[in-house]
Amino acid sequence: MKYGVLGTGDVAQVIAGKLIELGHEVMMGSRTAGNEKAAGWASAHGDRAKCGTFADAAAFGERVFNCVQGIHSLEALESAGKDNLKGKILIDQSNPYIYQDGHITLDPKYTGETCLGDEVQKLLPETKVVKTLNYIGCVMMTNPGELTEPVTGFYCGNDEKAKEAVRGILRHFGWTDTFDMGDISMSRYTEMLGAFWVPVFGQMKTMHWGFRLVRTVKE
Ligand SMILES: NC(=O)c1ccc[n+]([C@@H]2O[C@H](COP(=O)([O-])OP(=O)(O)OC[C@H]3O[C@@H](n4cnc5c(N)ncnc54)[C@H](OP(=O)(O)O)[C@@H]3O)[C@@H](O)[C@H]2O)c1
């Protein structure tokens, strides 16, 4: 399958690399066509790896990952183009974080009665937005089996078929335990949960850990 990956940072590199490993074609997108990180990634990953602008990657992908800085997600998605994303699944890892004095707060624009997941879905009403994997370090996103116990792959979105497809992607990424949190408004909970990395990383100095929802029934 063809995937677009919006972003060139650590998350984009991990996701795009895993998609190539799984046999897909991937275009990494950034604000500018000549982005060095995207070009470096593409040249290191063979013929199925390409790079371009956000709009190029959104048009290329049958499915698209959003791995851009959360406070700029809406601008990045605007520039990716609503038409390029129309009818497609957008798998969103972004968080609206502001970093200050060693702590994380949510950008107030995405609190109260809304959250970033809600605003992305409002911006792209004809795109099936599924939020997932935004609450753990990127090193674990495609590598949960490395941990000593199964951890939980949370996801949410409004479209049931899109969520089913994303559950399939999570399984291919190694998530043996997944949990459907409900509609896209549930994004606010993993957007808050992701900020928890600050105290855990502060104590453990590693991002190699995850969350497990202990329960009596599994998906
Ligand atoms: N790092 C993690 O372990 C982790 C874990 C969970 C969730 N997340 C979330 O995943 C997302 C990506 O994180 P990251 O650490 O990989 O990278 P990042 O540094 O947060 O974001 C890098 C990307 O954001 C884009 N960007 C920056 N400013 C922009 C602007 N003004 N307009 C449009 N795009 C802009 C950059 O575009 P260019 O390519 O053009 O420079 C780049 O592609 C974030 O939302 C983060 O909260 C990160």
Side-chain angles (χ1 to χ4, degrees):
M1 183 171 274
K2 289 181 174 176
Y3 279 90
V5 173
L6 309 180
T8 57
D10 293 343
V11 176
Q13 303 264 341
V14 165
I15 297 284
K18 184 67 180 181
L19 292 169
I20 291 286
E21 191 188 308
L22 291 171
H24 300 293
E25 285 182 67
V26 181
M27 184 180 287
M28 182 177 279
S30 66
R31 282 171 285 185
T32 50
N35 182 287
E36 271 181 32
K37 281 192 192 172
W41 175 82
S43 67
H45 286 83
D47 292 348
R48 285 181 284 110
K50 299 169 178 58
C51 63
T53 61
F54 288 140
D56 295 333
F60 176 85
E62 295 162 81
R63 294 174 180 165
V64 179
F65 279 83
N66 178 32
C67 312
V68 303
Q69 200 176 350
I71 55 171
H72 297 300
S73 266
L74 297 185
E75 300 158 61
L77 291 166
E78 282 274 14
S79 103
K82 290 182 190 180
D83 285 347
N84 289 330
L85 293 165
K86 192 174 170 178
K88 296 180 182 175
I89 299 175
L90 181 76
I91 307 144
D92 185 13
Q93 277 77 64
S94 66
N95 290 311
Y97 292 165
I98 295 174
Y99 293 82
Q100 204 170 17
D101 302 329
H103 289 290
I104 287 179
T105 52
L106 291 168
D107 182 335
K109 278 190 275 185
Y110 305 108
T111 60
E113 291 179 3
T114 192
C115 63
L116 183 56
D118 269 341
E119 294 304 313
V120 168
Q121 185 62 83
K122 269 187 230 165
L123 177 76
L124 304 168
E126 295 181 275
T127 300
K128 299 157 202 166
V129 181
V130 180
K131 191 104 185 183
T132 191
L133 302 181
N134 59 308
Y135 56 90
I136 43 145
C138 60
V139 286
M140 300 316 308
M141 288 179 181
T142 58
N143 200 20
E146 172 191 291
L147 299 174
T148 52
E149 293 176 41
V151 284
T152 308
F154 297 103
Y155 59 95
C156 63
N158 296 344
D159 187 283
E160 293 304 322
K161 283 194 177 152
K163 285 198 282 191
E164 197 181 314
V166 170
R167 194 161 54 241
I169 294 170
L170 291 176
R171 298 270 185 244
H172 284 123
F173 281 6
W175 292 85
T176 55
D177 184 37
T178 53
F179 186 80
D180 181 353
M181 298 192 302
D183 67 26
I184 196 67
S185 74
M186 298 300 161
S187 299
R188 66 199 66 207
Y189 299 105
T190 50
E191 287 169 12
M192 291 190 272
L193 184 61
F196 199 74
W197 77 262
V198 175
V200 180
F201 183 81
Q203 294 299 102
M204 291 174 54
K205 309 294 180 216
T206 175
M207 291 300 278
H208 293 249
W209 49 272
F211 297 100
R212 180 178 185 181
L213 189 67
V214 179
R215 57 205 192 276
T216 53
V217 183
K218 273 194 173 186
E219 272 184 358

